[in-house]
Amino acid sequence: MKSIARLLDYRKYFSGCESQLYRWVDTKETDGIIIPGHPQYDTALVRFINEVYDSGLLLDNYEEVLDKQRVSDVDMLINGADINLLRAILTYYVRGEHSQTGLWGRGVRKKCFLRILNRLSDLRITA
C-alpha cells in the first residue's frame, strides 16, 4: 500500500525535536475578547494527519475496540498491539483532537505517533 509507505516516511519527522512540531499558544485577551489557549501545529504534522485520513487505516468502531482493553492509558498498548488495535489507537489520536484539544501534541510529546508508525512497520514485515 503506497499510502501506508508514505506514512512510514514520517518516522524521521516524529523522531525530531517536539518543539518544532507544535507549540501551545497561551490564553490571551484582545479588545476584551478572551481567546483560549490552543495548540499550533506544524504544517507537516497536519499533512501527516491528512495522510492518515487518506490511508484507510482509521476505524469507525475504535472506541469499542479500545474499551475492550480496559486500560486508562491507550499509549501502553502500542508496543504489543495487533493491527486492529493499532488502527484503533491511531484513530483515537487522529480523531480525538476534535474533542480533546492538544491530543496531537500529546501524541508528539509522548512519541506515540512514532511508536505507532514503528509498530505498523513491524506488523507489515511479519504479516
PDB file of all heavy atoms in Angstrom, residues 6-7 14 19 22-23 31-32 37 40 52 56 63-65 81 83-84 87-88 91 93 97 102 112 119 122 124 126:
ATOM      1  N   ARG A   6       3.947   5.899   2.652  1.00  0.00           N
ATOM      2  CA  ARG A   6       4.142   7.342   2.851  1.00  0.00           C
ATOM      3  C   ARG A   6       4.042   7.704   4.321  1.00  0.00           C
ATOM      4  O   ARG A   6       4.780   8.556   4.809  1.00  0.00           O
ATOM      5  CB  ARG A   6       3.125   8.146   2.037  1.00  0.00           C
ATOM      6  CG  ARG A   6       3.456   8.183   0.569  1.00  0.00           C
ATOM      7  CD  ARG A   6       2.780   9.307  -0.191  1.00  0.00           C
ATOM      8  NE  ARG A   6       1.494   9.711   0.296  1.00  0.00           N
ATOM      9  CZ  ARG A   6       0.363   9.648  -0.399  1.00  0.00           C
ATOM     10  NH1 ARG A   6       0.373   9.189  -1.629  1.00  0.00           N
ATOM     11  NH2 ARG A   6      -0.777  10.056   0.112  1.00  0.00           N
ATOM     12  N   LEU A   7       3.130   7.060   5.036  1.00  0.00           N
ATOM     13  CA  LEU A   7       3.023   7.313   6.476  1.00  0.00           C
ATOM     14  C   LEU A   7       4.308   6.916   7.198  1.00  0.00           C
ATOM     15  O   LEU A   7       4.779   7.631   8.077  1.00  0.00           O
ATOM     16  CB  LEU A   7       1.847   6.549   7.084  1.00  0.00           C
ATOM     17  CG  LEU A   7       0.449   6.999   6.714  1.00  0.00           C
ATOM     18  CD1 LEU A   7      -0.582   6.108   7.398  1.00  0.00           C
ATOM     19  CD2 LEU A   7       0.224   8.448   7.083  1.00  0.00           C
ATOM     20  N   PHE A  14       8.916  12.445  13.190  1.00  0.00           N
ATOM     21  CA  PHE A  14       8.483  12.311  14.577  1.00  0.00           C
ATOM     22  C   PHE A  14       9.636  11.994  15.528  1.00  0.00           C
ATOM     23  O   PHE A  14       9.479  12.089  16.737  1.00  0.00           O
ATOM     24  CB  PHE A  14       7.375  11.270  14.717  1.00  0.00           C
ATOM     25  CG  PHE A  14       6.053  11.757  14.212  1.00  0.00           C
ATOM     26  CD1 PHE A  14       5.454  11.158  13.112  1.00  0.00           C
ATOM     27  CD2 PHE A  14       5.410  12.821  14.820  1.00  0.00           C
ATOM     28  CE1 PHE A  14       4.231  11.615  12.641  1.00  0.00           C
ATOM     29  CE2 PHE A  14       4.189  13.282  14.351  1.00  0.00           C
ATOM     30  CZ  PHE A  14       3.593  12.673  13.262  1.00  0.00           C
ATOM     31  N   SER A  19       9.478  20.451  19.999  1.00  0.00           N
ATOM     32  CA  SER A  19       9.181  21.881  19.981  1.00  0.00           C
ATOM     33  C   SER A  19       9.062  22.422  18.559  1.00  0.00           C
ATOM     34  O   SER A  19       8.478  23.480  18.341  1.00  0.00           O
ATOM     35  CB  SER A  19      10.236  22.669  20.750  1.00  0.00           C
ATOM     36  OG  SER A  19      11.493  22.568  20.101  1.00  0.00           O
ATOM     37  N   TYR A  22       5.037  21.273  17.329  1.00  0.00           N
ATOM     38  CA  TYR A  22       3.876  22.015  17.806  1.00  0.00           C
ATOM     39  C   TYR A  22       4.294  22.899  18.976  1.00  0.00           C
ATOM     40  O   TYR A  22       5.324  22.685  19.588  1.00  0.00           O
ATOM     41  CB  TYR A  22       2.742  21.079  18.246  1.00  0.00           C
ATOM     42  CG  TYR A  22       2.903  20.552  19.653  1.00  0.00           C
ATOM     43  CD1 TYR A  22       2.180  21.119  20.700  1.00  0.00           C
ATOM     44  CD2 TYR A  22       3.787  19.531  19.950  1.00  0.00           C
ATOM     45  CE1 TYR A  22       2.338  20.662  21.988  1.00  0.00           C
ATOM     46  CE2 TYR A  22       3.948  19.063  21.233  1.00  0.00           C
ATOM     47  CZ  TYR A  22       3.219  19.636  22.254  1.00  0.00           C
ATOM     48  OH  TYR A  22       3.376  19.182  23.538  1.00  0.00           O
ATOM     49  N   ARG A  23       3.455  23.886  19.237  1.00  0.00           N
ATOM     50  CA  ARG A  23       3.657  24.711  20.424  1.00  0.00           C
ATOM     51  C   ARG A  23       2.289  25.105  20.956  1.00  0.00           C
ATOM     52  O   ARG A  23       1.306  25.130  20.211  1.00  0.00           O
ATOM     53  CB  ARG A  23       4.507  25.936  20.127  1.00  0.00           C
ATOM     54  CG  ARG A  23       3.863  26.982  19.263  1.00  0.00           C
ATOM     55  CD  ARG A  23       4.806  28.172  18.988  1.00  0.00           C
ATOM     56  NE  ARG A  23       4.127  29.216  18.273  1.00  0.00           N
ATOM     57  CZ  ARG A  23       3.502  30.249  18.848  1.00  0.00           C
ATOM     58  NH1 ARG A  23       3.515  30.378  20.149  1.00  0.00           N
ATOM     59  NH2 ARG A  23       2.879  31.147  18.117  1.00  0.00           N
ATOM     60  N   ASP A  31      -8.846  43.214  23.026  1.00  0.00           N
ATOM     61  CA  ASP A  31     -10.038  44.073  22.925  1.00  0.00           C
ATOM     62  C   ASP A  31     -11.213  43.520  23.721  1.00  0.00           C
ATOM     63  O   ASP A  31     -12.360  43.528  23.254  1.00  0.00           O
ATOM     64  CB  ASP A  31     -10.445  44.276  21.459  1.00  0.00           C
ATOM     65  CG  ASP A  31      -9.373  44.978  20.640  1.00  0.00           C
ATOM     66  OD1 ASP A  31      -8.667  45.844  21.218  1.00  0.00           O
ATOM     67  OD2 ASP A  31      -9.243  44.663  19.446  1.00  0.00           O
ATOM     68  N   GLY A  32     -10.935  43.005  24.914  1.00  0.00           N
ATOM     69  CA  GLY A  32     -11.988  42.479  25.775  1.00  0.00           C
ATOM     70  C   GLY A  32     -12.472  41.091  25.410  1.00  0.00           C
ATOM     71  O   GLY A  32     -13.374  40.558  26.045  1.00  0.00           O
ATOM     72  N   GLY A  37      -6.343  29.318  25.195  1.00  0.00           N
ATOM     73  CA  GLY A  37      -5.108  28.681  24.754  1.00  0.00           C
ATOM     74  C   GLY A  37      -5.413  27.555  23.781  1.00  0.00           C
ATOM     75  O   GLY A  37      -6.480  26.928  23.855  1.00  0.00           O
ATOM     76  N   GLN A  40      -0.693  25.043  18.327  1.00  0.00           N
ATOM     77  CA  GLN A  40      -0.384  25.486  16.968  1.00  0.00           C
ATOM     78  C   GLN A  40       0.539  24.419  16.390  1.00  0.00           C
ATOM     79  O   GLN A  40       1.663  24.235  16.860  1.00  0.00           O
ATOM     80  CB  GLN A  40       0.290  26.846  16.993  1.00  0.00           C
ATOM     81  CG  GLN A  40       0.506  27.421  15.618  1.00  0.00           C
ATOM     82  CD  GLN A  40       1.012  28.849  15.710  1.00  0.00           C
ATOM     83  OE1 GLN A  40       1.994  29.115  16.383  1.00  0.00           O
ATOM     84  NE2 GLN A  40       0.327  29.758  15.041  1.00  0.00           N
ATOM     85  N   VAL A  52      -3.106  10.226   7.112  1.00  0.00           N
ATOM     86  CA  VAL A  52      -3.717   9.143   7.885  1.00  0.00           C
ATOM     87  C   VAL A  52      -5.182   9.000   7.480  1.00  0.00           C
ATOM     88  O   VAL A  52      -5.663   7.891   7.260  1.00  0.00           O
ATOM     89  CB  VAL A  52      -3.580   9.389   9.407  1.00  0.00           C
ATOM     90  CG1 VAL A  52      -4.420   8.380  10.190  1.00  0.00           C
ATOM     91  CG2 VAL A  52      -2.130   9.324   9.848  1.00  0.00           C
ATOM     92  N   GLY A  56      -6.871   4.840   4.853  1.00  0.00           N
ATOM     93  CA  GLY A  56      -7.786   3.719   5.050  1.00  0.00           C
ATOM     94  C   GLY A  56      -7.550   2.981   6.356  1.00  0.00           C
ATOM     95  O   GLY A  56      -8.157   1.938   6.601  1.00  0.00           O
ATOM     96  N   GLU A  63     -13.594   3.234  19.421  1.00  0.00           N
ATOM     97  CA  GLU A  63     -13.899   3.335  20.850  1.00  0.00           C
ATOM     98  C   GLU A  63     -14.273   1.981  21.425  1.00  0.00           C
ATOM     99  O   GLU A  63     -13.866   1.622  22.527  1.00  0.00           O
ATOM    100  CB  GLU A  63     -15.010   4.353  21.084  1.00  0.00           C
ATOM    101  CG  GLU A  63     -14.553   5.781  20.803  1.00  0.00           C
ATOM    102  CD  GLU A  63     -15.686   6.782  20.819  1.00  0.00           C
ATOM    103  OE1 GLU A  63     -16.789   6.449  20.305  1.00  0.00           O
ATOM    104  OE2 GLU A  63     -15.466   7.882  21.343  1.00  0.00           O
ATOM    105  N   GLU A  64     -15.023   1.209  20.673  1.00  0.00           N
ATOM    106  CA  GLU A  64     -15.412  -0.135  21.097  1.00  0.00           C
ATOM    107  C   GLU A  64     -14.183  -1.026  21.243  1.00  0.00           C
ATOM    108  O   GLU A  64     -14.049  -1.765  22.225  1.00  0.00           O
ATOM    109  CB  GLU A  64     -16.385  -0.728  20.072  1.00  0.00           C
ATOM    110  CG  GLU A  64     -16.834  -2.130  20.353  1.00  0.00           C
ATOM    111  CD  GLU A  64     -17.723  -2.654  19.225  1.00  0.00           C
ATOM    112  OE1 GLU A  64     -18.562  -1.881  18.717  1.00  0.00           O
ATOM    113  OE2 GLU A  64     -17.562  -3.834  18.864  1.00  0.00           O
ATOM    114  N   VAL A  65     -13.275  -0.954  20.280  1.00  0.00           N
ATOM    115  CA  VAL A  65     -12.046  -1.754  20.322  1.00  0.00           C
ATOM    116  C   VAL A  65     -11.210  -1.373  21.545  1.00  0.00           C
ATOM    117  O   VAL A  65     -10.710  -2.237  22.273  1.00  0.00           O
ATOM    118  CB  VAL A  65     -11.218  -1.577  19.026  1.00  0.00           C
ATOM    119  CG1 VAL A  65      -9.859  -2.245  19.135  1.00  0.00           C
ATOM    120  CG2 VAL A  65     -11.999  -2.107  17.820  1.00  0.00           C
ATOM    121  N   ALA A  81       0.452  -4.144  20.229  1.00  0.00           N
ATOM    122  CA  ALA A  81      -0.829  -4.105  19.515  1.00  0.00           C
ATOM    123  C   ALA A  81      -0.811  -4.925  18.233  1.00  0.00           C
ATOM    124  O   ALA A  81       0.181  -4.927  17.502  1.00  0.00           O
ATOM    125  CB  ALA A  81      -1.190  -2.659  19.191  1.00  0.00           C
ATOM    126  N   ILE A  83      -2.823  -5.430  14.479  1.00  0.00           N
ATOM    127  CA  ILE A  83      -3.152  -4.392  13.502  1.00  0.00           C
ATOM    128  C   ILE A  83      -4.490  -3.716  13.822  1.00  0.00           C
ATOM    129  O   ILE A  83      -4.624  -2.494  13.681  1.00  0.00           O
ATOM    130  CB  ILE A  83      -3.127  -4.932  12.048  1.00  0.00           C
ATOM    131  CG1 ILE A  83      -3.228  -3.779  11.039  1.00  0.00           C
ATOM    132  CG2 ILE A  83      -4.181  -5.978  11.823  1.00  0.00           C
ATOM    133  CD1 ILE A  83      -2.065  -2.821  11.048  1.00  0.00           C
ATOM    134  N   ASN A  84      -5.473  -4.460  14.283  1.00  0.00           N
ATOM    135  CA  ASN A  84      -6.775  -3.866  14.586  1.00  0.00           C
ATOM    136  C   ASN A  84      -6.673  -2.901  15.769  1.00  0.00           C
ATOM    137  O   ASN A  84      -7.211  -1.793  15.721  1.00  0.00           O
ATOM    138  CB  ASN A  84      -7.805  -4.962  14.865  1.00  0.00           C
ATOM    139  CG  ASN A  84      -9.221  -4.432  14.846  1.00  0.00           C
ATOM    140  OD1 ASN A  84      -9.638  -3.778  13.889  1.00  0.00           O
ATOM    141  ND2 ASN A  84      -9.952  -4.707  15.911  1.00  0.00           N
ATOM    142  N   ARG A  87      -4.754   0.247  14.733  1.00  0.00           N
ATOM    143  CA  ARG A  87      -5.620   1.149  13.966  1.00  0.00           C
ATOM    144  C   ARG A  87      -6.558   1.916  14.898  1.00  0.00           C
ATOM    145  O   ARG A  87      -6.812   3.102  14.700  1.00  0.00           O
ATOM    146  CB  ARG A  87      -6.425   0.361  12.939  1.00  0.00           C
ATOM    147  CG  ARG A  87      -5.574  -0.188  11.804  1.00  0.00           C
ATOM    148  CD  ARG A  87      -6.372  -1.053  10.864  1.00  0.00           C
ATOM    149  NE  ARG A  87      -7.398  -0.239  10.203  1.00  0.00           N
ATOM    150  CZ  ARG A  87      -8.442  -0.756   9.563  1.00  0.00           C
ATOM    151  NH1 ARG A  87      -8.615  -2.066   9.506  1.00  0.00           N
ATOM    152  NH2 ARG A  87      -9.317   0.031   8.981  1.00  0.00           N
ATOM    153  N   ALA A  88      -7.059   1.250  15.940  1.00  0.00           N
ATOM    154  CA  ALA A  88      -7.936   1.910  16.905  1.00  0.00           C
ATOM    155  C   ALA A  88      -7.184   3.001  17.664  1.00  0.00           C
ATOM    156  O   ALA A  88      -7.716   4.099  17.877  1.00  0.00           O
ATOM    157  CB  ALA A  88      -8.522   0.880  17.885  1.00  0.00           C
ATOM    158  N   THR A  91      -6.612   5.916  15.348  1.00  0.00           N
ATOM    159  CA  THR A  91      -7.869   6.636  15.168  1.00  0.00           C
ATOM    160  C   THR A  91      -8.184   7.488  16.389  1.00  0.00           C
ATOM    161  O   THR A  91      -8.614   8.649  16.264  1.00  0.00           O
ATOM    162  CB  THR A  91      -9.033   5.656  14.902  1.00  0.00           C
ATOM    163  OG1 THR A  91      -8.694   4.807  13.800  1.00  0.00           O
ATOM    164  CG2 THR A  91     -10.320   6.401  14.594  1.00  0.00           C
ATOM    165  N   TYR A  93      -6.091   8.917  18.402  1.00  0.00           N
ATOM    166  CA  TYR A  93      -5.258  10.114  18.363  1.00  0.00           C
ATOM    167  C   TYR A  93      -5.673  11.089  17.260  1.00  0.00           C
ATOM    168  O   TYR A  93      -5.739  12.287  17.480  1.00  0.00           O
ATOM    169  CB  TYR A  93      -3.779   9.745  18.210  1.00  0.00           C
ATOM    170  CG  TYR A  93      -3.116   9.611  19.551  1.00  0.00           C
ATOM    171  CD1 TYR A  93      -2.863   8.372  20.106  1.00  0.00           C
ATOM    172  CD2 TYR A  93      -2.780  10.739  20.296  1.00  0.00           C
ATOM    173  CE1 TYR A  93      -2.287   8.251  21.355  1.00  0.00           C
ATOM    174  CE2 TYR A  93      -2.209  10.629  21.543  1.00  0.00           C
ATOM    175  CZ  TYR A  93      -1.964   9.385  22.060  1.00  0.00           C
ATOM    176  OH  TYR A  93      -1.413   9.278  23.307  1.00  0.00           O
ATOM    177  N   GLU A  97      -8.436  14.782  18.552  1.00  0.00           N
ATOM    178  CA  GLU A  97      -8.109  16.210  18.613  1.00  0.00           C
ATOM    179  C   GLU A  97      -9.369  17.071  18.536  1.00  0.00           C
ATOM    180  O   GLU A  97      -9.417  18.165  19.096  1.00  0.00           O
ATOM    181  CB  GLU A  97      -7.142  16.586  17.486  1.00  0.00           C
ATOM    182  CG  GLU A  97      -6.756  18.043  17.442  1.00  0.00           C
ATOM    183  CD  GLU A  97      -5.854  18.512  18.580  1.00  0.00           C
ATOM    184  OE1 GLU A  97      -5.198  17.669  19.216  1.00  0.00           O
ATOM    185  OE2 GLU A  97      -5.811  19.733  18.828  1.00  0.00           O
ATOM    186  N   GLY A 102      -5.348  19.474  21.850  1.00  0.00           N
ATOM    187  CA  GLY A 102      -3.973  19.217  22.265  1.00  0.00           C
ATOM    188  C   GLY A 102      -3.585  17.752  22.227  1.00  0.00           C
ATOM    189  O   GLY A 102      -2.446  17.394  22.532  1.00  0.00           O
ATOM    190  N   CYS A 112       4.042   8.884  20.707  1.00  0.00           N
ATOM    191  CA  CYS A 112       3.038   7.886  20.341  1.00  0.00           C
ATOM    192  C   CYS A 112       2.915   7.719  18.830  1.00  0.00           C
ATOM    193  O   CYS A 112       2.806   6.591  18.343  1.00  0.00           O
ATOM    194  CB  CYS A 112       1.686   8.243  20.946  1.00  0.00           C
ATOM    195  SG  CYS A 112       1.704   8.165  22.740  1.00  0.00           S
ATOM    196  N   ARG A 119       5.444   0.366  15.068  1.00  0.00           N
ATOM    197  CA  ARG A 119       4.684  -0.878  15.232  1.00  0.00           C
ATOM    198  C   ARG A 119       3.997  -1.264  13.923  1.00  0.00           C
ATOM    199  O   ARG A 119       3.969  -2.441  13.558  1.00  0.00           O
ATOM    200  CB  ARG A 119       3.656  -0.733  16.363  1.00  0.00           C
ATOM    201  CG  ARG A 119       2.871  -1.990  16.636  1.00  0.00           C
ATOM    202  CD  ARG A 119       3.752  -3.107  17.158  1.00  0.00           C
ATOM    203  NE  ARG A 119       2.952  -4.303  17.378  1.00  0.00           N
ATOM    204  CZ  ARG A 119       3.426  -5.527  17.304  1.00  0.00           C
ATOM    205  NH1 ARG A 119       4.710  -5.740  17.088  1.00  0.00           N
ATOM    206  NH2 ARG A 119       2.638  -6.554  17.492  1.00  0.00           N
ATOM    207  N   ASP A 122       6.553  -2.904  11.877  1.00  0.00           N
ATOM    208  CA  ASP A 122       6.809  -4.270  12.371  1.00  0.00           C
ATOM    209  C   ASP A 122       5.722  -5.238  11.910  1.00  0.00           C
ATOM    210  O   ASP A 122       6.026  -6.352  11.485  1.00  0.00           O
ATOM    211  CB  ASP A 122       6.859  -4.295  13.904  1.00  0.00           C
ATOM    212  CG  ASP A 122       8.052  -3.573  14.487  1.00  0.00           C
ATOM    213  OD1 ASP A 122       9.015  -3.273  13.732  1.00  0.00           O
ATOM    214  OD2 ASP A 122       8.025  -3.304  15.709  1.00  0.00           O
ATOM    215  N   ARG A 124       3.746  -5.002   9.348  1.00  0.00           N
ATOM    216  CA  ARG A 124       3.772  -5.202   7.896  1.00  0.00           C
ATOM    217  C   ARG A 124       4.882  -6.172   7.514  1.00  0.00           C
ATOM    218  O   ARG A 124       4.742  -6.938   6.577  1.00  0.00           O
ATOM    219  CB  ARG A 124       3.974  -3.870   7.173  1.00  0.00           C
ATOM    220  CG  ARG A 124       2.742  -2.997   7.243  1.00  0.00           C
ATOM    221  CD  ARG A 124       2.883  -1.776   6.440  1.00  0.00           C
ATOM    222  NE  ARG A 124       3.426  -2.144   5.138  1.00  0.00           N
ATOM    223  CZ  ARG A 124       3.923  -1.314   4.263  1.00  0.00           C
ATOM    224  NH1 ARG A 124       3.965  -0.031   4.536  1.00  0.00           N
ATOM    225  NH2 ARG A 124       4.393  -1.709   3.115  1.00  0.00           N
ATOM    226  N   THR A 126       6.084  -8.679   9.379  1.00  0.00           N
ATOM    227  CA  THR A 126       5.780 -10.038   9.803  1.00  0.00           C
ATOM    228  C   THR A 126       4.472 -10.568   9.201  1.00  0.00           C
ATOM    229  O   THR A 126       4.190 -11.731   9.295  1.00  0.00           O
ATOM    230  CB  THR A 126       5.680 -10.121  11.337  1.00  0.00           C
ATOM    231  OG1 THR A 126       4.633  -9.253  11.788  1.00  0.00           O
ATOM    232  CG2 THR A 126       6.982  -9.749  11.982  1.00  0.00           C
TER     233      THR A 126
END
